[in-house]
Each structure stands twice: as C-alpha cells, then as structure tokens.
Amino acid sequence: MIVLGIESSCDETGVALYDTQRGLLAHALHSQVAMHEEYGGVVPELASRDHIRRAIPLLEQTLRNSGLSGANAIRHAEIDAIAYTQGPGLAGALLVGASFACGLGMALDKPIIGIHHLEGHLLSPLLSSNPPEFPFIALLVSGGHTQLMHVRGVGDYVLLGETMDDAAGEAFDKSAKLLGLGYPGGPEISRMAQLGDPSVHQFPRPMLHSKDLHFSFSGLKTAVLTAVRNYGGVLSDQDKANVARGFVDAVVDVLTAKCMTALKQTGLKRLVIAGGVGANQQLRAALNAAAVKKRFQVYYPELEFCTDNGAMIAFAGALRLQANPAAASRDYSFNVRPRWPLSGTQIGQIK
Ligand code: KG4
Ligand code: ZN
C-alpha cells in the first residue's frame, strides 16, 4: 500500500510517499522559518499563504523522486490513499493541507484519512533503522506540546502527564527571544548553552518533585527574564551563553526525571522521544546516560524527522490503514481540528 502524506499544521509544508513494503519512497519539505524570523514567531496568515504556494511544487518533487515510474498521472495511479494532518495546529494552515488532500482525493478518486499531528511525531521513531517495539513510553516535546504517553499500539495512547502551561519548545523559543537570539530558539539556545558555565545560573526545576508526570515551564521563562533584567538588559555573548546553559540544564533535568518516573510507574523499558525538542543534543546526552545507568532503551527519530515533516504523516496514515482499512473514506467534506487531544484517539474515530 502506498500512502501520500501531507503536513501543514504550522510553519513547515511537508509531502511524502510511504510504501508499506518498501518504506519511505520520497519526501520533500519547505520550512518557513526564514519568512517568520523577522517577526520573531509564526504569523498564521503568512503561514497559510505559503502552504498554498508550496503544496503543488512539493508534491511534484516527491512524485519525481519516488521511484514510481512514468509521468505524474501514472504515478498518481499507484497511490492507494492520501493522509493529511487534520489537527492540532493553526486553523488556516491546517485548512490548506486538508483542502489540498481532499481536492486531490476527489480528483484522483483516492480515499483520504485525517491524521493527528502528534500521532505522526509519536510514531516517527518507527521510521528509523532501529525501530522500537510496542509498548513504550513516549515523550512528545514540540513547540506546542509537552506530553508523556503510554503507547500500547497504533491508535492506543494513554496520556500520563502534560504541561500545565508552556510547552518545552515554547519555553526554548521564548527564552531565546529574551536573549535576543533568533527564531526558532531551540537550536540556537542549545548551541549557546554549550559555551556556557553551568555554575553561574541555577534556575528552578519546575515540578521536579511533584511526583506526578505533569510539567510547567512558564516559571522557568520568568526566571530567564529576571536574569536578563539583572544584567540591566545588556548581556555579553558569554552572559547569554551562561543563561542559555542554566536554562537548558533545567529543562533537561526536568524532562529526564519525568521520563524516569514514567518508566518506573509503568514498568516499561522502552522510551521514545519525539517532536522538535527531541533534536536537542543535551537532552539526548542526558537520556542516553540515564538509559545506560537504569538499563532501558531510548529511541529517537532520525534528526530530519524530529521536526515537522510529511513522512511521519504518510507513515501514520499507512499504519492506521493497515490496522483498519475502513479508516480512510471518500467523504471529501473535510473539517480540521486546531485543538484535538490525542489520548483516546482510537482507530476509526479519526473522521
Ligand atoms: O515538532 P516541531 O517541529 O513543531 C511543532 O509541532 O511544534 O517543534 C518545534 C519546536 C520549536 O519550539 C523549536 O525551538 C524546538 O522544537 N527545537 C529545539 C531544537 N530543534 C527544534 N529545541 C531544542 N533544541 C533543538 N535542537
Ligand atoms: Zn510538530
């Protein structure tokens, strides 16, 4: 079965073709980071318009690179279903992907399936050469979400804990902004932190000892703000690096400790990290060290599939359809779900 995947929930347009027999055939991505950078964050209207501009060229590029033979029309014929991100995300951006997928589906007479964006992230480590087996604990750390999930199988997710306020990625982005670093802040703050002195700033570890699996990152962002103010707002590069180091150490400590608690509480020995913050090298180093010490396995998506992409949507669509072929439909009256909890999303409940 060959599934076309379309991702457009935020500031990346992604298109991919996944074959359940041969694996990922091709994928293409356009990041809008450069466009949003001058505004210091994603401008939803600009995001939607750019998704419209990119969708068709990215689809053509994916088809060309897929190895499927012949001209576009013949390649289209080989696609069995079209998966698209139905939510959560920016309403306008989601609508572009949904209408593109449904329009294509109608024109080519292909069934469509709406995919939960976080399910795409959560299953993305299964695309790697060393995939985890079910069940596992998944830490989802993206720009909009921070959640711990007990993943028992495809479509079988139990929410164990989540952030009470800011997401981890959001804390990275907001703190980077306070330090005058670029957008998105995650990679930049992480790079700066490597040059920082860990003893200069001891920031709070929010909810570290709360015994539950919830998170809170807004206080940490306030601590960064206070530190910046204490410098009188004028920070040398070394000051910025020291603040970045204090911030990253605090986030990594909390994320690592909560993962340990989740593994302990469930008795599971496999941990999967998904979402943009999963690209963070300091987090990976801490989790790898904990995995050796506490004897569990930790899995990450390939770096290119940590942040948003079409491959994870095509892949999640293929897994959904393998589990339940009736999950795709030829009802092209789409609706998007900007806010949509993942927990309890059972197969067949997608539409
Ligand atoms: O999963 P993602 O691409 O989009 C959402 O679904 O939100 O995650 C984007 C988030 C941003 O907040 C970005 O700053 C963060 O992931 N991020 C990182 C790194 N790379 C991306 N955070 C920390 N370290 C990184 N290397
Ligand atoms: Zn994402």
Side-chain angles (χ1 to χ4, degrees), residues 117 121 142-144 169-170 172-173 184-187 190 275-277 279-280 306-308:
H117 179 79
H121 275 305
S142 69
E170 196 176 353
F172 267 97
D173 294 339
S190 166
V277 181
N280 184 269
C306 272
T307 46
D308 293 349

Side-chain angles (χ1 to χ4, degrees), residues 192-233:
M192 289 292 278
Q194 284 167 359
L195 310 169
D197 178 343
S199 65
V200 178
H201 293 283
Q202 295 295 317
F203 290 132
R205 271 70 173 149
M207 298 184 74
L208 186 63
H209 302 295
S210 65
K211 295 210 169 67
D212 58 25
L213 295 170
H214 296 309
F215 305 85
S216 165
F217 291 108
S218 69
L220 188 51
K221 171 195 65 195
T222 310
V224 170
L225 174 65
T226 308
V228 169
R229 286 200 178 136
N230 287 345
Y231 283 104

Side-chain angles (χ1 to χ4, degrees), residues 268-307:
L268 294 177
K269 290 281 176 201
R270 284 183 289 268
L271 175 68
V272 159
I273 310 298
V277 181
N280 184 269
Q281 294 306 325
Q282 289 94 336
L283 178 63
R284 288 185 176 215
L287 289 170
N288 291 344
V292 172
K293 200 164 153 208
K294 307 246 166 152
R295 294 174 189 211
F296 63 89
Q297 262 93 47
V298 57
Y299 300 84
Y300 309 94
E302 303 294 336
L303 264 183
E304 62 177 334
F305 301 138
C306 272
T307 46

